[in-house]
Amino acid sequence: MLHYFNPGNETAIINASPYYTPAANQLKMQQDLAYLPAWYAGSPADFIWIEKPLSSDFLQSVRHFRLPRALTKETCSEYKTGLSGLDISLWGISPQSIWYFEVLNKNYGLNLLCPPMREEYKALSGRQTARKCLEYITRSIPEIESDIIPEFYTNIDDIERKAFATPFDLLIKAPYSSSGRGLIWIPAGTFNRSEKQITQGILRKQGMVSIEKVLDKK
């Protein structure tokens, strides 16, 4: 198995283009954490695809662990035979990630097996599915209050009325976002011009936003 860490795949899915380029902050996180799958890969015989070689300091710090091998464009030719017919395990399946490995196969003569893109992945990657999960959890565990369940809005005027009428802080989220991105924190009873503009931008790109009560985290 070859593992690939691609956080932010939710926005790649909603974009739907194989030529999608992630935002700079997503790319940096992806590069910085590229070797993360080593900690959940099934076997030390697996591979982890990374863009940049691991630092010598890091390699020294994990020398006592039996971890999968890191693989880059520069080193993949060394393992070409072993990579032939190997399945790719993506952190998130999207048209962009599939295209990425199709190009690698072509350019480096590899025969890695890309997973297919399925229509249901779009629904599963959105916060709409997270809402369904929360609804199930609150029905199953009475001690969890149902006010944690988000509501979805498609109209900026409705969102503005909701913000001004609510006596507690709100959190607006883009339906397709992850890793702390696509969040707008709204203090109770307010909705300023900047927050409104950002929300309108999400509505134009994704058609809706989710709104939920800010939790008192302990």
Side-chain angles (χ1 to χ4, degrees), residues 81-101:
T81 302
L83 293 173
S84 182
L86 206 62
D87 287 322
I88 301 171
S89 175
L90 299 167
W91 177 264
I93 300 174
S94 68
Q96 184 266 344
S97 59
I98 293 172
W99 172 255
Y100 176 82
F101 279 100

Side-chain angles (χ1 to χ4, degrees), residues 82-127:
L83 293 173
S84 182
L86 206 62
D87 287 322
I88 301 171
S89 175
L90 299 167
W91 177 264
I93 300 174
S94 68
Q96 184 266 344
S97 59
I98 293 172
W99 172 255
Y100 176 82
F101 279 100
E102 288 177 346
V103 171
L104 286 174
N105 276 339
K106 180 180 178 181
N107 291 346
Y108 293 89
L110 305 175
N111 185 31
L112 295 165
L113 302 182
C114 295
M117 183 67 198
R118 303 186 189 280
E119 181 60 31
E120 58 263 35
Y121 293 162
K122 181 177 179 180
L124 290 171
S125 297
R127 297 191 190 278

Side-chain angles (χ1 to χ4, degrees), residues 73-88:
K73 294 176 183 178
E74 291 73 27
T75 62
C76 65
S77 60
E78 301 174 24
Y79 303 99
K80 192 171 182 178
T81 302
L83 293 173
S84 182
L86 206 62
D87 287 322
I88 301 171

Side-chain angles (χ1 to χ4, degrees), residues 2-218:
L2 184 143
H3 300 269
Y4 182 61
F5 182 63
N6 58 321
N9 67 287
E10 294 85 355
T11 46
I13 286 177
I14 195 67
N15 181 275
S17 170
Y19 314 113
Y20 168 76
T21 300
N25 51 15
Q26 289 181 344
L27 279 175
K28 184 177 188 321
M29 179 167 63
Q30 182 172 335
Q31 292 173 357
D32 290 347
L33 300 177
Y35 194 58
L36 178 65
W39 304 101
Y40 63 78
S43 167
D46 286 353
F47 294 91
I48 314 297
W49 187 270
I50 60 177
E51 291 289 341
K52 298 179 180 179
L54 298 171
S55 71
S56 56
D57 288 342
F58 174 77
L59 291 172
Q60 178 67 15
S61 70
V62 298
R63 66 187 185 281
H64 299 303
F65 297 95
R66 293 184 67 243
L67 296 174
R69 288 159 290 186
L71 202 63
T72 66
K73 294 176 183 178
E74 291 73 27
T75 62
C76 65
S77 60
E78 301 174 24
Y79 303 99
K80 192 171 182 178
T81 302
L83 293 173
S84 182
L86 206 62
D87 287 322
I88 301 171
S89 175
L90 299 167
W91 177 264
I93 300 174
S94 68
Q96 184 266 344
S97 59
I98 293 172
W99 172 255
Y100 176 82
F101 279 100
E102 288 177 346
V103 171
L104 286 174
N105 276 339
K106 180 180 178 181
N107 291 346
Y108 293 89
L110 305 175
N111 185 31
L112 295 165
L113 302 182
C114 295
M117 183 67 198
R118 303 186 189 280
E119 181 60 31
E120 58 263 35
Y121 293 162
K122 181 177 179 180
L124 290 171
S125 297
R127 297 191 190 278
Q128 300 90 325
T129 298
R131 175 193 165 96
K132 292 178 182 179
C133 294
L134 282 173
E135 288 173 334
Y136 175 81
I137 290 170
T138 55
R139 288 196 304 268
S140 305
I141 308 174
E143 291 80 7
I144 299 179
E145 297 178 359
S146 61
D147 64 356
I148 67 170
I149 297 173
E151 299 175 330
F152 285 85
Y153 289 80
T154 59
N155 183 280
I156 192 65
D157 294 331
D158 293 338
I159 295 169
E160 190 168 29
R161 281 191 289 270
K162 166 82 172 178
F164 282 124
T166 303
F168 44 77
D169 296 348
L170 294 174
L171 182 57
I172 297 177
K173 296 181 178 180
Y176 290 88
S177 60
S178 65
S179 306
R181 315 307 306 173
L183 307 180
I184 310 170
W185 299 86
I186 308 296
T190 67
F191 195 50
N192 65 37
R193 176 185 289 184
S194 175
E195 294 159 352
K196 185 174 181 178
Q197 288 176 338
I198 296 171
T199 303
Q200 286 177 315
I202 296 173
L203 291 175
R204 283 194 298 271
K205 292 179 180 178
Q206 302 194 16
M208 66 180 72
V209 296
S210 72
I211 302 181
E212 60 191 61
K213 177 182 179 181
V214 172
L215 301 180
D216 179 18
K217 297 182 288 295
K218 300 190 192 314

